[in-house]
């Protein structure tokens, strides 16, 4: 994972943390999901209208946050962006296309 990634994470696999939620799939405040957001401009700033954290595994639910306020950023953090995976059999790292 790339720690604290900047820029668009739309459509990327991310490690997210939310201080106010215990995710049922991990039983912690962190989970790995596909990240999708809808934004709009508010003057010189961007505002998230909707954030969707989509699970690749159908056994786990997706999370949707709508009408995201500015306080949400203090509770929610994209802690990492998936950039590669380690294969234990071949003992090699494969990079993820960003």
């Amino acid at each position: 994972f790339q720690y604290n990634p900047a820029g668009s994470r739309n459509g990327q696999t991310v490690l997210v943390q939310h201080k106010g939620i215990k995710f049922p799939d991990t039983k912690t405040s962190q989970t790995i999901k596909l990240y999708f957001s809808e934004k709009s401009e508010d003057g010189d700033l961007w505002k998230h209208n909707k954030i969707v954290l989509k699970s690749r595994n159908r056994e786990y639910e997706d999370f949707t946050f709508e009408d995201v306020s500015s306080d949400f950023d203090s509770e929610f953090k994209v802690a990492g962006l998936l950039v590669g995976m380690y294969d234990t059999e071949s003992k090699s790292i494969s990079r993820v296309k960003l």
Side-chain angles (χ1 to χ4, degrees), residues 27-43:
K27 297 182 180 51
T28 69
S29 63
Q30 297 180 332
T31 189
I32 298 171
K33 302 281 187 192
L34 287 168
Y35 177 98
F36 297 95
S37 73
E38 294 175 9
K39 296 179 186 178
S40 62
E41 278 189 70
D42 187 10

Side-chain angles (χ1 to χ4, degrees), residues 72-91:
F72 188 74
D73 289 337
S74 65
E75 298 289 316
F76 178 86
K77 178 180 180 180
V78 175
L81 175 67
L82 183 67
V83 294
M85 297 176 63
Y86 182 72
D87 183 332
T88 55
E89 287 184 26
S90 67
K91 298 184 180 175

Side-chain angles (χ1 to χ4, degrees), residues 59-96:
E59 292 182 27
Y60 297 110
E61 65 182 296
D62 298 339
F63 290 89
T64 301
F65 304 95
E66 296 194 50
D67 299 322
V68 179
S69 70
S70 58
D71 327 346
F72 188 74
D73 289 337
S74 65
E75 298 289 316
F76 178 86
K77 178 180 180 180
V78 175
L81 175 67
L82 183 67
V83 294
M85 297 176 63
Y86 182 72
D87 183 332
T88 55
E89 287 184 26
S90 67
K91 298 184 180 175
S92 65
I93 296 174
S94 59
R95 294 278 176 201
V96 174

Side-chain angles (χ1 to χ4, degrees), residues 6-57:
S8 177
R9 296 165 299 267
N10 220 15
Q12 302 292 322
T13 300
V14 295
L15 171 65
V16 294
Q17 180 175 4
H18 192 292
K19 295 178 184 175
I21 294 176
K22 291 250 188 221
F23 292 101
D25 52 348
T26 62
K27 297 182 180 51
T28 69
S29 63
Q30 297 180 332
T31 189
I32 298 171
K33 302 281 187 192
L34 287 168
Y35 177 98
F36 297 95
S37 73
E38 294 175 9
K39 296 179 186 178
S40 62
E41 278 189 70
D42 187 10
D44 291 338
L45 303 173
W46 287 99
K47 176 184 182 245
H48 287 282
N49 298 320
K50 182 178 180 179
I51 295 174
V52 178
L53 302 176
K54 187 167 179 57
S55 180
R56 288 183 187 250
N57 185 334

